[in-house]
Amino acid sequence: MFHTRTSSWMLALLPLVLVFAVACGGGSSPTPDPDPDPDPDPDPTPPTSVVYDTDPFLLRVQEVMVPTTPTVGGGTPTSFSIDPPLPNGLTFDAATGEVAGTPVDATPLETHTVTATNADGSATGEFRYVTGIALPPQFASLRPGFQAESVVENPDALKAAKMTLLPDGRILYIEVDAGQIRVIDSGGTLLATPYIDLSSFTLGATPVTLINGNHQGLFGLVAAPDFNTTGFVYVMLSIEEAGSTNPRSVVLRFTDNPTTNQGESMGLVLDNLPTNTINNGGALLFEGSGPNMFVSCGDVANATNSQAGFGTTPAGKILRINPTVPAVAPTTPAANQSGTFEWVRGVRNCYGMAQHPTNGEVFFVDTEGMDGGTGFDMLDELNFVQETKNYEWGDDPANPTIPGADVGFRVWESLAQTITPTALAWHTGAAFSTTSTDSLLMASYNDHRIRQFVMAGSVGNPSTRVNLDSVSTFAELNVGPLGNQPLDVVVDAATDEIYIVLFSGIFKIS
């Protein structure tokens, strides 16, 4: 009886016990605690590569580099490190891998290992750079990867104008107004004694003096291709006799004396070339290994001279001569001008010519300047020289008389009218890049620039060589002092080094 009564009471409490047990989570399989260290990357991926977009970077002392951040393959990094540390002036961002700053010191090729890291691993790559020396104050800019240094400067502004490299490492340059040719020895020292002083001298039995100022003075200089054998140096200048009579331009030849570093044995190559206060030309260029030489004569401030026959005047022409002493000019141009003095006509004021070192192509620049109300096309030009061609200066644009077949190949015209191109040089080495090793460099006086023309078409094919792949600024000089205008650009084919002549001095780019 007692047993039955107790069992009934327990059965009455059973539902309450079950409810309590469920509410309290009872039982043998409780819910597990949360993971105290959950994995945020269920598919772990470490960085796999670190690549900067340039190798090596080409920097320059005192110039702010363009900040650069690497591209990382694989997983996203959470931090970066670099070894060894960057030098003074450059900074490294450990969060992004960015390199930035302004180099303080010139360096050879430097290599730093950059490591990108996340929780799953790391990867490494290289940041490499070269830092060139600071630009001279005359330079506003120079293409990355090149450096410029002073060879000689003229604090007294003697107006260096044209230069020529001698095979033994010496440099000759002209001081246009002083009438002197100066020599820099192979060690880079400007010698106190002039190579030649042409401020006044005797031509035959006649005393003459240099005419300087404006476009006159010394304006052409070249060494013979066979200089090692002959020692010949040629110069073009404007002179007059006593009482300011018989003003004219002449081409003279000297023989080098390497012992005294002076030019001797003067000979008259070409006489009675016209001269004026402007537009006298004066570019000298040997045709290949010689013996012929090109001589440019400006229109001497009279556009019609460029279309007149040589029997009338050599002005406005590019002449081709065999520079013997003496040389005798023909009295009239021949129908086929090969072998005579006149090579092309229709030239206003050619300051620069250049011949391709392997295929013989000749190009020239023509300075056309401001319109002045003539109505002629006044855009400065780069032209491809072809025998007997006419480059149209001096022809009346309202009544043209030049047959189309006679018109020369114009490669480029300036977009502005007053750049005044002064010099031209071929650069066929690999210094620019493997894709632009066939380039012309052009100096321009009024806008203080050195331009690079990357040529198009097949080398030696006139029908395609009048085209360009690109035109860009290679260097720009600071606008300001008179001395910063570029007058000459010369390429050392043996070293790929480029020389720029300013009125204030000579600078080497490497």
Side-chain angles (χ1 to χ4, degrees), residues 394-426:
D395 190 51
D396 184 355
N399 299 286
T401 59
I402 304 168
D406 294 338
V407 172
F409 295 98
R410 183 173 300 151
V411 180
W412 176 85
E413 285 185 315
S414 61
L415 298 178
Q417 292 187 339
T418 56
I419 68 167
T420 310
T422 53
L424 203 57
W426 281 99

Side-chain angles (χ1 to χ4, degrees), residues 141-144 432 441-442 444 447-453 470-477:
S141 67
L142 177 63
R143 183 167 300 167
F432 288 121
L441 298 177
M442 183 186 77
S444 52
D447 67 350
H448 300 70
R449 294 177 189 271
I450 306 296
R451 285 175 172 81
Q452 178 194 0
F453 295 85
S470 65
V471 182
S472 59
T473 295
F474 174 65
E476 185 174 0
L477 288 306

Side-chain angles (χ1 to χ4, degrees), residues 236-256:
M236 187 172 175
L237 64 158
S238 49
I239 60 171
E240 62 187 6
E241 298 172 11
S244 301
T245 60
N246 196 19
R248 63 196 190 274
S249 292
V250 298
V251 178
L252 304 177
R253 187 184 76 188
F254 293 86
T255 303
D256 176 66

Side-chain angles (χ1 to χ4, degrees), residues 159-357:
K159 290 189 178 180
K162 296 290 182 179
M163 64 167 278
T164 190
L165 299 171
L166 300 182
D168 59 12
R170 288 177 294 162
I171 298 173
L172 300 182
Y173 74 90
I174 58 176
E175 292 176 341
V176 58
D177 284 348
Q180 295 181 340
I181 300 177
R182 303 295 299 274
V183 57
I184 302 169
D185 68 18
S186 57
T189 301
L190 173 62
L191 302 184
T193 302
Y195 188 77
I196 305 166
D197 187 342
L198 295 170
S199 56
S200 62
F201 58 99
T202 299
L203 190 58
T206 305
V208 298
T209 57
L210 181 77
I211 309 172
N212 59 21
N214 295 311
H215 292 181
Q216 295 176 305
L218 299 183
F219 37 67
L221 181 68
V222 69
D226 58 354
F227 178 87
N228 282 334
T229 302
T230 64
F232 289 160
V233 174
Y234 299 82
V235 61
M236 187 172 175
L237 64 158
S238 49
I239 60 171
E240 62 187 6
E241 298 172 11
S244 301
T245 60
N246 196 19
R248 63 196 190 274
S249 292
V250 298
V251 178
L252 304 177
R253 187 184 76 188
F254 293 86
T255 303
D256 176 66
N257 185 332
T259 302
T260 62
N261 279 307
Q262 290 183 297
E264 302 173 347
S265 305
M266 183 183 76
L268 177 63
V269 172
L270 198 57
D271 199 355
N272 297 316
L273 297 175
T275 191
N276 204 325
T277 55
I278 62 171
N279 298 359
N280 294 300
L284 303 178
L285 174 72
F286 269 92
E287 184 181 24
S289 59
N292 293 321
M293 180 170 71
F294 294 111
V295 180
S296 74
C297 290
D299 70 2
V300 294
N302 185 346
T304 61
N305 284 335
S306 298
Q307 296 300 326
F310 188 85
T312 305
T313 177
K317 318 294 193 304
I318 292 178
L319 315 178
R320 179 175 178 266
I321 68 172
N322 186 334
T324 57
V325 177
V328 179
T331 57
T332 58
N336 178 1
Q337 296 159 10
S338 180
T340 69
F341 275 25
E342 180 182 325
W343 197 246
V344 303
R345 64 175 62 181
V347 179
R348 183 177 188 248
N349 196 20
C350 169
Y351 284 127
M353 294 183 282
Q355 184 169 38
H356 196 284

